[in-house]
Amino acid sequence: MRRPDAGSPRAEPAQDPGGSTDLAIDHAPAAAASVRPLRFFLVGVAATIVHWVVVAATVSTFGWEPLRANLVAWPTAVGVSFIGHQRWTFGSRRAATRSAAPRFLVVSLAGFVLNQVMFALLLRWTELRYGAALAVVLLLTASVTYLASNLWAFSAPLDRP
């Protein structure tokens, strides 16, 4: 049996001063679900800034090619992203780290492959500078990873009897 969705209000007994028990609706999970896209965006912005800074610093400091620098930037940004999403974006779902971490890693790896392929194609087949190409790639990858994170990586676990 599946736990109630974190976005659905939960019914909980409430006592009034007269001693009777009413069924009160807890709207906190619904409120968390309504701000989830904004939180995902803000955590994503933080991870993207980290990603961008690492790529730019590696290219300018060590003279690496942008695709090679991207290999260093990605795991750094994934760490920022997982911590932010686990604790803040999807924290109301209470997905256990032991189940969310491997699923998020799969989502992130798929996102990274998508990121690298799109980045390579844009660098090879367009006149875009690497910064502009990276911006396009990061925006598209963020959209895909939000959907996968929301629908799978941080989904509430199944209850076990």
Side-chain angles (χ1 to χ4, degrees), residues 32-52:
S34 69
V35 297
R36 193 172 294 136
L38 176 61
R39 288 179 175 187
F40 187 89
F41 173 77
L42 293 173
V43 170
V45 167
T48 299
I49 289 168
V50 168
H51 192 139
W52 193 291

Side-chain angles (χ1 to χ4, degrees), residues 75-99:
T76 308
V78 167
V80 170
S81 187
F82 179 75
I83 290 168
H85 293 318
Q86 173 73 5
R87 294 185 181 184
W88 193 46
T89 307
F90 299 103
S92 66
R93 290 184 170 180
R94 292 178 179 79
T97 299
R98 70 181 179 278
S99 63

Side-chain angles (χ1 to χ4, degrees), residues 3 20 30-31 43 49 87-88 101 114-115 117 120:
R3 286 187 183 172
S20 69
V43 170
I49 289 168
R87 294 185 181 184
W88 193 46
L114 179 65
N115 175 302
V117 168

Side-chain angles (χ1 to χ4, degrees), residues 110-135:
F112 179 69
V113 169
L114 179 65
N115 175 302
Q116 278 293 94
V117 168
M118 286 191 306
F119 197 34
L121 290 172
L122 288 174
L123 290 173
R124 171 87 168 111
W125 297 105
T126 72
E127 297 294 320
L128 291 174
R129 297 177 63 131
Y130 85 84
L134 185 60

Side-chain angles (χ1 to χ4, degrees), residues 2 93 95 99 103 149-157:
R2 192 158 177 84
R93 290 184 170 180
S99 63
R103 291 185 298 202
S149 294
N150 190 40
L151 297 173
W152 181 60
F154 292 101
S155 64

Side-chain angles (χ1 to χ4, degrees), residues 138-151:
L138 292 175
L139 288 172
L140 291 172
T141 303
S143 300
V144 171
T145 57
Y146 173 75
L147 291 173
S149 294
N150 190 40
L151 297 173

